[in-house]
């Protein structure tokens, strides 16, 4: 290993200060590396996938049980970080999962969730209807209540992680970085937007939806950015039934859908999203104006499942993007042509919650203390994309 200027620790440059990059930089710094973290527009900026107000944290993950263990670790690390920083970023609301007769997605996770010490109860739909009369459970045959689930204050967490990183002695710079050329199995220093070069022993690219275009030549198809809309509907005056405290986070997987939402919180309204990936999107130049069709579809959904909100006004909306890997598993691996370069991303609509855990894993990989899990390797992406 090439040594840094201290003579002991590697110099690492991390590009991107979203959920993946911020946490990776913090863990690397805490492990003793000399770390420079770069971001074009700053942590949790409006274009970043981590830039919305809130993100759900949950452990029901279908058959992809690798995530259950990571969620367990993430819960612990979020709580530890909150204690250290004297901040509240995680809100434990619980999550209500709604299915028609097909609840295989929940059932597949239950043994791993129990083994991880997390709690999910199956609820009788009639019991769920009496506990949450503000939801119309028509067509719902299976209901689960996940106790530790909730939501995280996303963009604020990104800022807090970078603050912690800087306090730990890391260097943060708001600059765009271009990967150096790959020659003889290694990547040359980064070229920064101010014209300077940044040389490090390892480069870690945590560029979210930009990963696809940054590595379009050497890793085609690794990440695709898709347009996603999120709506915040205004709850009625003097009606607290749709706010935190009265309603948990909810996920509706009935009839092949994956609608989800967060009860009114942070004075931002009742949040509704559809997990179905949208059209290709340019995260740099794309206009972020919500579509009339998307708003209409969300209203139709509300009218069916949350009838009292059928006429609720839209009070805010976000146009964001997923950074989709071909199989929607994360990417954490060394660049196949450059031994000194790593990629971490591909959160695919579910990456925020795991920031602390994936950052810890990424730091261990970059420091060669462990190898990435097979599910996150680039080799599996190449076979899925092909
Ligand atoms: C609508 C929506 C809902 C979601 N819901 C959830 C949820 O409920 N729960 C959950 O866990 N996850 C959710 N996700 C997914 C989650 O938000 C993302 O997977 C996660 O935030 C991705 O983090 P990231 O660090 O990889 O990318 P980003 O947050 O996009 O960060 C990448 C950063 O890299 C910087 N950058 C890019 N290129 C360069 C460059 N060349 N030089 C310097 N800096 C650069 C950017 O400015 C950006 O800040 C959702 C995503 C969306 C869009």
């Amino acid at each position: 290993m090439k040594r840094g200027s201290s003579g002991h620790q590697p110099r690492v440059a991390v590009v991107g200060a979203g959920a993946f990059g911020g946490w990776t930089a913090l863990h690397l710094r805490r492990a003793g590396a000399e770390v420079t973290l770069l971001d074009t527009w700053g942590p949790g900026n409006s274009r970043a996938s981590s830039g919305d107000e809130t993100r759900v944290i949950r452990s029901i993950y279908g058959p992809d049980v690798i995530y259950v263990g990571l969620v367990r670790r993430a819960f612990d690390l979020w709580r530890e970080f909150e204690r250290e920083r004297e901040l509240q970023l995680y809100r434990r609301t619980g999550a209500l999962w709604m299915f028609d007769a097909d609840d295989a997605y929940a059932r597949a996770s239950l043994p791993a969730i129990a083994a991880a010490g997390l709690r999910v109860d199956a609820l009788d739909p009639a019991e769920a209807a009496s506990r949450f009369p503000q939801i119309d459970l028509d067509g719902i045959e299976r209901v689960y209540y996940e106790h530790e689930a909730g939501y995280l204050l996303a963009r604020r967490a990104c800022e807090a992680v970078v603050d912690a990183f800087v306090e730990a002695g890391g260097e943060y710079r708001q600059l765009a970085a271009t990967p150096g050329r790959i020659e003889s199995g290694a990547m040359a220093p980064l070229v920064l937007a101010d014209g300077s070069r940044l040389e490090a022993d390892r480069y870690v690219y945590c560029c979210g939806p930009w990963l696809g275009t940054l590595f379009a030549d050497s890793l085609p198809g690794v990440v695709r950015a898709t347009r996603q809309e999120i709506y915040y509907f205004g709850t009625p005056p003097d009606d607290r039934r749709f706010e935190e405290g009265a309603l948990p986070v909810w996920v509706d997987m009935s009839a092949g859908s994956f609608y989800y939402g967060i009860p009114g919180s942070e004075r931002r309204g009742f949040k509704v999203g559809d997990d179905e990936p949208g059209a290709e999107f340019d995260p740099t130049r794309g206009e972020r104006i919500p579509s009339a069709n998307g708003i209409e579809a969300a209203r139709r959904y509300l009218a069916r499942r949350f009838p009292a909100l059928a006429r609720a006004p839209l009070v805010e909306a976000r146009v964001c993007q997923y950074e989709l890997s071909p199989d929607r598993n994360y990417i954490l691996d060394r660049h196949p042509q450059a031994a000194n370069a790593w990629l971490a991303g591909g959160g695919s609509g579910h990456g925020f919650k795991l920031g602390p855990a994936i950052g810890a894993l990424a730091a261990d990989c970059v420091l060669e203390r462990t190898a990435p899990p097979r599910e996150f390797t680039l080799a599996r992406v190449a076979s899925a994309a092909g």
Side-chain angles (χ1 to χ4, degrees):
M1 182 192 295
K2 195 177 165 204
R3 300 290 172 178
S5 55
S6 68
H8 299 292
Q9 296 298 341
R11 295 165 304 164
V12 186
V14 179
V15 184
F20 278 60
W23 281 104
T24 299
L26 180 59
H27 284 293
L28 280 164
R29 179 63 205 143
R30 287 181 171 170
E34 289 181 25
V35 188
T36 302
L37 174 64
L38 299 141
D39 197 293
T40 316
W41 294 293
N45 69 77
S46 296
R47 289 178 170 102
S49 296
S50 309
D52 195 3
E53 300 297 319
T54 49
R55 292 287 185 247
V56 172
I57 181 162
R58 42 99 184 182
S59 65
I60 291 183
Y61 247 105
D64 300 320
V65 293
I66 184 170
Y67 294 105
V68 178
L70 287 167
V71 171
R72 165 78 264 175
R73 181 138 197 238
F75 272 124
D76 295 342
L77 292 172
W78 279 114
R79 286 202 184 94
E80 201 179 301
F81 185 71
E82 285 185 313
R83 269 196 305 276
E84 279 168 25
R85 306 297 300 171
E86 298 182 357
L87 281 174
Q88 201 193 356
L89 299 168
Y90 157 58
R91 302 284 165 86
R92 180 177 166 157
T93 61
L96 191 76
W97 289 77
M98 299 173 267
F99 297 88
D100 47 30
D102 180 5
D103 61 351
Y105 187 83
R107 277 188 292 107
S109 295
L110 294 179
I113 291 173
L118 300 170
R119 184 171 162 207
V120 174
D121 292 337
L123 298 187
D124 180 59
E127 183 195 344
S130 72
R131 261 175 81 179
F132 303 110
Q134 62 277 60
I135 310 179
D136 182 341
L137 291 172
D138 186 39
I140 300 299
E141 296 182 37
R142 306 269 190 276
V143 181
Y144 294 87
Y145 187 82
E146 191 181 332
H147 288 259
E148 287 84 3
Y151 69 91
L152 297 152
L153 298 181
R155 68 180 174 78
R156 269 189 250 170
C158 294
E159 284 169 24
V161 170
V162 173
D163 288 348
F165 165 75
V166 171
E167 279 177 34
E171 184 191 14
Y172 169 69
R173 299 174 71 185
Q174 192 170 322
L175 275 175
T178 306
R181 285 166 63 92
I182 298 175
E183 272 169 0
S184 311
M187 195 172 275
L190 295 171
V191 180
L192 305 186
D194 64 1
S196 64
R197 283 154 50 96
L198 179 71
E199 184 173 4
D201 301 308
R202 311 271 158 83
Y203 303 98
V204 191
Y205 293 93
C206 302
C207 306
W210 290 269
L211 277 175
T213 42
L214 272 186
F215 294 100
D217 294 335
S218 57
L219 294 168
V222 73
V223 163
R224 203 163 53 88
T226 60
R227 182 187 160 95
Q228 309 298 140
E229 298 191 0
I230 287 286
Y231 310 107
Y232 292 83
F233 288 96
T235 54
D238 303 323
D239 182 351
R240 311 298 296 267
R241 290 175 301 157
F242 301 96
E243 292 186 11
E244 187 173 346
L247 197 68
V249 158
W250 52 272
V251 182
D252 183 351
M253 292 188 74
S254 65
S257 73
F258 196 137
Y259 267 97
Y260 64 93
I262 298 179
S265 52
E266 296 289 302
R267 302 170 294 283
R268 296 259 80 76
F270 181 89
K271 180 172 176 175
V272 181
D274 180 356
D275 183 57
E276 183 65 26
E280 299 255 344
F281 187 70
D282 179 338
T284 300
R285 289 175 203 81
E287 287 277 12
R288 294 174 189 265
I289 300 168
S291 66
N293 285 351
I295 297 170
E296 197 40 49
R299 281 194 197 288
R300 275 199 305 278
Y301 176 78
L302 279 185
R304 189 169 88 243
R305 198 61 83 207
F306 298 92
L309 297 180
R311 291 168 185 274
L314 184 73
V315 292
E316 260 184 53
R318 297 283 165 113
V319 177
C320 189
Q321 65 280 308
Y322 283 168
E323 58 295 325
L324 283 184
S325 75
D327 59 3
R328 294 192 75 166
N329 280 323
Y330 298 170
I331 291 160
L332 172 57
D333 205 353
R334 202 188 285 273
H335 193 293
Q337 290 137 35
N340 59 346
W342 285 79
L343 274 72
S348 303
H350 61 103
F352 191 86
K353 67 180 83 59
L354 288 173
I358 207 76
L361 183 59
D364 281 347
C365 289
V366 171
L367 297 174
E368 295 177 348
R369 295 171 172 174
T370 189
R374 186 192 48 78
E375 289 88 339
F376 299 165
T377 58
L378 284 163
R380 122 281 167 177
V381 172
S383 55

